[in-house]
Amino acid sequence: SRDWSSDVCSSDLENSLAILKKMSREANKSIWLVSHKDELAGRVNNTLHVVKENGFTSYNTDVDIA
Protein backbone atom coordinates (compact mmCIF):
# COMPACT_ATOMS: atom_id res chain seq x y z
CA SER A 1 0.00 0.00 0.00
CA ARG A 2 1.32 3.42 -0.91
CA ASP A 3 1.12 6.56 1.26
CA TRP A 4 -0.08 9.09 -1.32
CA SER A 5 0.03 11.92 1.23
CA SER A 6 3.80 12.07 0.84
CA ASP A 7 3.23 13.09 -2.81
CA VAL A 8 1.38 16.27 -1.86
CA CYS A 9 3.72 19.22 -2.32
CA SER A 10 3.74 22.07 0.16
CA SER A 11 2.23 24.56 -2.29
CA ASP A 12 -0.75 22.24 -2.88
CA LEU A 13 -1.17 21.93 0.87
CA GLU A 14 -0.98 25.72 1.33
CA ASN A 15 -3.56 26.32 -1.41
CA SER A 16 -5.94 23.71 0.00
CA LEU A 17 -5.66 25.10 3.51
CA ALA A 18 -6.30 28.66 2.25
CA ILE A 19 -9.43 27.52 0.38
CA LEU A 20 -10.79 25.69 3.43
CA LYS A 21 -10.18 28.70 5.68
CA LYS A 22 -11.91 31.01 3.19
CA MET A 23 -14.91 28.65 2.93
CA SER A 24 -15.14 28.54 6.72
CA ARG A 25 -15.10 32.34 7.03
CA GLU A 26 -17.60 32.95 4.23
CA ALA A 27 -20.08 30.33 5.45
CA ASN A 28 -19.47 31.12 9.13
CA LYS A 29 -19.10 27.38 9.70
CA SER A 30 -16.50 25.14 11.22
CA ILE A 31 -14.62 22.93 8.80
CA TRP A 32 -12.73 19.96 10.19
CA LEU A 33 -9.62 18.91 8.33
CA VAL A 34 -8.65 15.33 9.05
CA SER A 35 -4.94 14.70 8.64
CA HIS A 36 -2.06 12.76 10.09
CA LYS A 37 0.32 15.64 9.37
CA ASP A 38 1.39 17.12 12.70
CA GLU A 39 2.66 20.30 11.05
CA LEU A 40 -0.93 21.36 10.30
CA ALA A 41 -1.92 21.51 13.98
CA GLY A 42 -0.39 24.94 14.52
CA ARG A 43 -1.97 26.34 11.37
CA VAL A 44 -5.64 25.86 12.27
CA ASN A 45 -7.83 27.31 15.02
CA ASN A 46 -9.07 24.05 16.54
CA THR A 47 -7.75 20.51 16.65
CA LEU A 48 -9.24 17.17 17.56
CA HIS A 49 -6.73 14.53 18.60
CA VAL A 50 -8.01 10.96 18.10
CA VAL A 51 -6.22 7.90 19.49
CA LYS A 52 -7.13 4.26 18.94
CA GLU A 53 -5.61 1.98 21.54
CA ASN A 54 -6.51 -1.60 22.45
CA GLY A 55 -9.61 -1.45 20.27
CA PHE A 56 -10.96 1.74 21.89
CA THR A 57 -11.02 5.26 20.47
CA SER A 58 -10.53 8.31 22.64
CA TYR A 59 -10.25 11.96 21.75
CA ASN A 60 -9.48 15.34 23.22
CA THR A 61 -10.01 18.80 21.79
CA ASP A 62 -9.59 22.42 22.67
CA VAL A 63 -13.26 23.19 21.87
CA ASP A 64 -16.63 21.81 22.95
CA ILE A 65 -18.14 19.42 20.44
CA ALA A 66 -21.93 19.47 20.39
Side-chain angles (χ1 to χ4, degrees), residues 20-64:
L20 290 172
K21 286 182 176 185
K22 181 180 178 192
M23 289 172 54
S24 176
R25 280 191 307 272
E26 290 176 353
N28 196 30
K29 300 279 184 185
S30 294
I31 295 177
W32 291 86
L33 173 63
V34 178
S35 174
H36 66 279
K37 294 186 175 286
D38 291 335
E39 65 267 19
L40 293 177
R43 314 257 328 274
V44 295
N45 295 332
N46 305 307
T47 60
L48 175 68
H49 183 76
V50 180
V51 177
K52 185 173 183 180
E53 185 174 20
N54 297 324
F56 293 95
T57 301
S58 64
Y59 67 91
N60 60 21
T61 182
D62 57 352
V63 296
D64 292 330

